[in-house]
Amino acid sequence: MPRATVAKAAQETSFYAAVAFFFILAAFPFYWMVITSFKTDADLYNVAHIPFWFNDPPTLKHFQYLFHETLFARWLLNSLVIGICVVAITLVTALPAAYSLARMTGKNGEALGIGIFLTYLVPPTLLFLPLSRVIAVLGLQNSMWSLVLVYPTFTIPFCTWLLMGFFKSIPPEIEEAAIVDGCSLFGAFIKMALPLSLPGILTVVIFTFTLTLQEFVYALTFISSSAQKPITLGVATDLIRGDIFYWGEIMAGALIASIPVAIAYNFFLDNFIAGITGGAVK
């Protein structure tokens, strides 16, 4: 067999082996979550059983417990309301801010953009103390609306920076032509810039909603009532009682919460990648 053919076969084998390794690495947590959600307690806690498949018939008991014995449906609704509100606030704020900074020439626009992005890098553990004071003054303690107020403090900076790069990739001549045709500056922004920025906007929506869905520190700080908790806090606190972990219910709750996000990422995958890469163009 020619040496070139052997080298090519070895290269392809190495490539597919690497792909398979990373696929298993990424898919295994989801597989473990699925199999744990449907296992019986006897199967789950029996150390003599092999943990990677069903030794007993699957059960829906963990899902029934979530919806009948906990406020899981309320946690889902709270997370949905918080996510939608934060996405709306982020878009209303980040879109005009990013457009203005992208069209601002000179070093001032770039410096402002970098400054906005740097605020995103401040750890939440340094901010929840002053934010607690703000929440107390506004009377939003132990309310999910405190999270609607707090979450935009870290979604707006990053989304503004991301959209800035995306708007910079749009030729300004397009908007200038719209203005010549009779549009105002705001009209050119709405009719020309926004439609061309749809991949970036979808990226911001998915990123913001995912970030609010998985945030834990602020939720733990500002909310203690079960009825006001988002799903991340509810599952992590109400299903762990002392040293007892309700693993079946915890994994079932995580599975239900992750499926919509996974569907959204896969459904808008092309637009999401285009938004990320488009935001990197300068």
Side-chain angles (χ1 to χ4, degrees), residues 225-240:
S225 173
S226 292
Q228 295 292 317
K229 291 178 180 179
I231 189 169
T232 48
L233 183 62
V235 169
T237 56
D238 288 33
L239 296 178
I240 300 175

Side-chain angles (χ1 to χ4, degrees), residues 198-236:
L198 185 59
I201 294 173
L202 289 176
T203 301
V204 166
V205 170
I206 295 174
F207 171 81
T208 302
F209 188 82
T210 304
L211 205 59
T212 60
L213 192 65
Q214 68 184 16
E215 201 282 326
F216 184 77
V217 174
Y218 288 143
L220 182 63
T221 302
F222 300 133
I223 297 179
S224 58
S225 173
S226 292
Q228 295 292 317
K229 291 178 180 179
I231 189 169
T232 48
L233 183 62
V235 169

Side-chain angles (χ1 to χ4, degrees), residues 115-149:
I116 289 174
F117 177 71
L118 289 177
T119 60
Y120 171 75
L121 301 179
V122 178
T125 50
L126 298 179
L127 294 177
F128 74 83
L129 287 176
L131 287 173
S132 298
R133 177 60 179 167
V134 175
I135 296 301
V137 170
L138 296 176
L140 296 175
Q141 305 99 316
N142 199 24
S143 170
M144 69 176 186
W145 298 108
S146 63
L147 302 182
V148 175
L149 177 65

Side-chain angles (χ1 to χ4, degrees), residues 178-197:
I179 294 174
V180 170
D181 289 339
C183 284
S184 61
L185 181 60
F186 182 74
F189 168 68
I190 295 295
K191 296 180 180 179
M192 304 303 297
L194 289 187
L196 293 173
S197 306

Side-chain angles (χ1 to χ4, degrees), residues 1 17 36 51 88 94-95 98 182 195 221 234 238 245 263 271:
M1 183 178 293
T36 305
L95 281 171
T221 302
D238 288 33
F245 289 70
I263 292 175
N271 287 323

Side-chain angles (χ1 to χ4, degrees), residues 65-85:
Y65 182 88
L66 279 179
F67 286 100
H68 294 106
E69 303 296 331
T70 70
L71 297 175
F72 185 76
R74 180 63 183 268
W75 300 338
L76 279 176
L77 179 61
N78 290 346
S79 294
L80 180 62
V81 172
I82 292 170
I84 291 175
C85 292

